[in-house]
Amino acid sequence: MHSQPYPALSAPKDGYVFVVTYGRSGSTLTQKLLNAIPGYQIRGENGNALYHLARAAVVTSKWDNFIWRREDLHKAKSEQKTFLRNIIGTSSDPWYGAELIDPEALSKSLADSFVSQILRPDETVRVSGFKEIRWHEDRAFFPNFLDYIKNTFPNSKFLFQTRMADDVAKSAWWKNRKHEDVMTMISNAERMYADFSADNPDISFTVKYERYAEGPSYVQEIFDFLGEKVDEDVIAQILGSKLKHS
């Protein structure tokens, strides 16, 4: 019997939930609500640590110099870059060793390390994940970042949290930023969320902070998307608690 090659990554048997948002959207409330679901353990922010691992994984799968060497390594004849055949695997190649990298194995091993060393889910956890407010900081990489997660973390789902832009911009968190800059940031972020959601409707849900005022009925819409149900009294108690950092 073979052991699981990525044990931490596969340990949460029902998958992962990622809360994608910007600062002062009310995402800590969402985090708290998700953690009320039995078997869920959704961690807080990690300084966008997964972004840096995703960059390393994506570069090996998409950059031409890696792709060309893998193609020439496995093809008897190549339609392009045939000069590589004479130097591939030798110290004459400026990308010596690039042909040996397995992008899928790298992607999964980095994700496995992220889960075991950063998320550190308890043994009883069936759904892991985290919330982060820095996803939008690299707009060009954003689609690749979420695709990396979707393709690497089993049964991934994304909650895109939004809030009225004026309310976000007026918060103390953004007091040192120009109002128009914050508004532009929010607009750009929400456009990225909408684009990914349009391409991946089955694994995406947009959480509108203002709708929490509707009470447990709205929260259950989020849980319905996740395929979960929580006692309404528990939800009402969480909604009625004011977060200390708000």
Side-chain angles (χ1 to χ4, degrees):
M1 184 175 180
H2 296 290
S3 61
Q4 167 57 248
Y6 308 106
L9 183 61
S10 60
K13 66 182 183 65
D14 292 334
Y16 293 84
V17 172
F18 301 92
V19 181
V20 182
T21 190
Y22 38 77
R24 289 304 183 266
S25 68
S27 60
T28 303
L29 174 57
T30 301
Q31 174 186 308
K32 191 171 183 179
L33 288 163
L34 292 173
N35 283 310
I37 302 173
Y40 273 54
Q41 192 173 63
I42 307 304
R43 299 297 196 186
E45 297 162 34
N46 52 62
N48 221 13
L50 185 57
Y51 161 83
H52 301 284
L53 302 182
R55 292 287 309 209
V58 170
V59 73
T60 63
S61 66
K62 292 184 177 292
W63 274 32
D64 288 345
N65 274 294
F66 289 102
I67 294 171
W68 291 333
R69 283 160 177 78
R70 287 197 297 271
E71 288 179 344
D72 273 357
L73 186 65
H74 294 103
K75 289 182 180 178
K77 293 183 179 180
S78 177
E79 297 177 357
Q80 60 176 348
K81 304 297 178 184
T82 54
F83 72 90
L84 287 174
R85 184 150 297 106
N86 296 324
I87 64 171
I88 194 169
T90 76
S91 59
S92 297
D93 185 353
W95 285 64
Y96 179 36
E99 74 282 357
L100 302 176
I101 297 173
D102 180 339
E104 182 177 359
L106 177 63
S107 293
K108 290 183 177 179
S109 62
L110 289 172
D112 190 76
S113 293
F114 177 82
V115 175
S116 66
Q117 299 302 317
I118 296 181
L119 293 184
R120 294 180 174 270
D122 297 338
E123 291 184 2
T124 57
V125 169
R126 61 185 178 85
V127 175
S128 184
F130 66 94
K131 71 105 169 178
E132 182 58 74
I133 64 172
R134 298 165 179 85
W135 304 83
H136 60 277
E137 291 181 353
D138 187 343
R139 291 175 62 191
F141 188 68
F142 181 84
N144 284 324
F145 188 8
L146 268 62
D147 280 342
Y148 164 76
I149 293 175
K150 176 185 71 174
N151 296 327
T152 307
F153 288 78
N155 192 26
S156 295
K157 293 182 179 178
F158 298 88
L159 297 180
F160 297 96
Q161 180 143 342
T162 66
R163 189 175 185 178
M164 292 290 290
D166 274 332
D167 292 338
V168 174
K170 292 174 184 175
S171 70
W173 177 264
W174 298 110
K175 66 180 180 181
N176 295 323
R177 291 276 297 273
K178 291 182 179 179
H179 183 270
E180 57 267 31
D181 290 345
V182 177
M183 299 294 281
T184 298
M185 177 277 294
I186 295 170
S187 177
N188 289 337
E190 293 185 358
R191 188 176 302 113
M192 289 187 284
Y193 304 166
D195 288 345
F196 183 86
S197 296
D199 292 335
N200 301 274
D202 293 340
I203 59 172
S204 303
F205 185 96
T206 298
V207 177
K208 297 182 181 298
Y209 176 78
E210 288 73 22
R211 290 198 61 193
Y212 279 141
E214 299 173 23
S217 62
Y218 177 61
V219 177
Q220 190 56 54
E221 289 184 29
I222 302 170
F223 291 171
D224 286 344
F225 162 72
L226 298 173
E228 306 288 351
K229 187 171 179 62
V230 175
D231 187 281
E232 284 196 2
D233 290 340
V234 173
I235 297 173
Q237 182 179 5
I238 294 172
L239 291 176
S241 300
K242 182 175 177 60
L243 296 170
K244 292 182 179 180
H245 79 283
S246 297

